Amino acid sequence: FVRLRAARPRRMACCAGCLGPSLPPHYTFSNSARNARGDARISPDKRIYLSVFFPDSERARPAHFFFDRTKATSRVVEDAVAYAGLQLDRGRLVGSPEKLNLFTLEGEVLRTDLPLDAHLGATLHPSDVLLLEKGNRVSEDRLDAIKAAVEQQNGSCVVM
């Protein structure tokens, strides 16, 4: 009688080249794109799927969401902040003097007073990754770190 034990999951040495070093928790998605968060009452033809990263200072894990493309872009900010357990006060995180803005991974600010549809095709595309950040700018280093984290999590490694 041989007793088998489940092997602990571990990263194989061959995967290090593909996956790189482990990511900090606030750079790893809390859900999969298949399990995107959103209001189930939004009809599938009105949905836009987006991923959102939070300000580095908050240490909240990024998540995949879906939103109603006909609603104001401010809903992205409100829903994402609520999901992360943070609070907004007139466009600012409670306790922060700086306004919270929504950026693309190219560093462009999205106007929150316009519907998501108004951004589609120009600065925004389905499945884009967005960044909530305090202030009017986001550093290139931060954008590069998020791009690398997204690429690492979207990468695949095939073991034959």
Side-chain angles (χ1 to χ4, degrees):
F1 174 67
V2 177
R3 183 179 212 162
L4 299 176
R5 289 190 314 174
R8 289 186 187 174
R10 62 188 168 108
R11 183 177 289 185
M12 297 185 306
C14 64
C15 293
C18 296
L19 300 177
S22 296
L23 293 169
H26 65 283
Y27 278 86
T28 59
F29 288 105
S30 62
N31 63 338
S32 68
R34 289 177 127 184
N35 296 319
R37 309 269 182 192
D39 185 345
R41 295 174 294 185
I42 300 171
S43 66
D45 61 317
K46 287 187 177 182
R47 292 180 185 183
I48 180 170
Y49 289 81
L50 301 168
S51 303
V52 180
F53 276 77
F54 298 95
D56 207 20
S57 61
E58 301 307 319
R59 300 291 187 208
R61 292 179 65 191
H64 299 283
F65 296 92
F66 64 86
F67 302 97
D68 186 334
R69 65 179 58 218
T70 64
K71 301 291 183 188
T73 306
S74 61
R75 291 297 306 230
V76 174
V77 176
E78 294 164 4
D79 292 352
V81 165
Y83 168 78
L86 305 171
Q87 294 181 339
L88 277 179
D89 180 28
R90 294 180 296 193
R92 294 168 172 76
L93 286 176
V94 171
S96 174
E98 296 176 292
K99 185 175 187 278
L100 197 60
N101 284 304
L102 196 58
F103 294 89
T104 65
L105 281 185
E106 287 73 40
E108 296 180 47
V109 178
L110 295 178
R111 288 186 48 187
T112 56
D113 60 327
L114 296 175
L116 284 166
D117 272 343
H119 297 290
L120 286 175
T123 55
L124 187 63
H125 305 311
S127 301
D128 269 358
V129 175
L130 301 177
L131 168 62
L132 281 170
E133 195 64 60
K134 298 173 188 174
N136 295 324
R137 292 194 181 116
V138 60
S139 74
E140 288 295 323
D141 290 341
R142 175 96 164 114
L143 291 172
D144 290 342
I146 291 173
K147 287 176 189 175
V150 169
E151 188 174 305
Q152 183 174 333
Q153 291 176 79
N154 287 343
S156 61
C157 186
V158 177
V159 177
M160 307 288 271

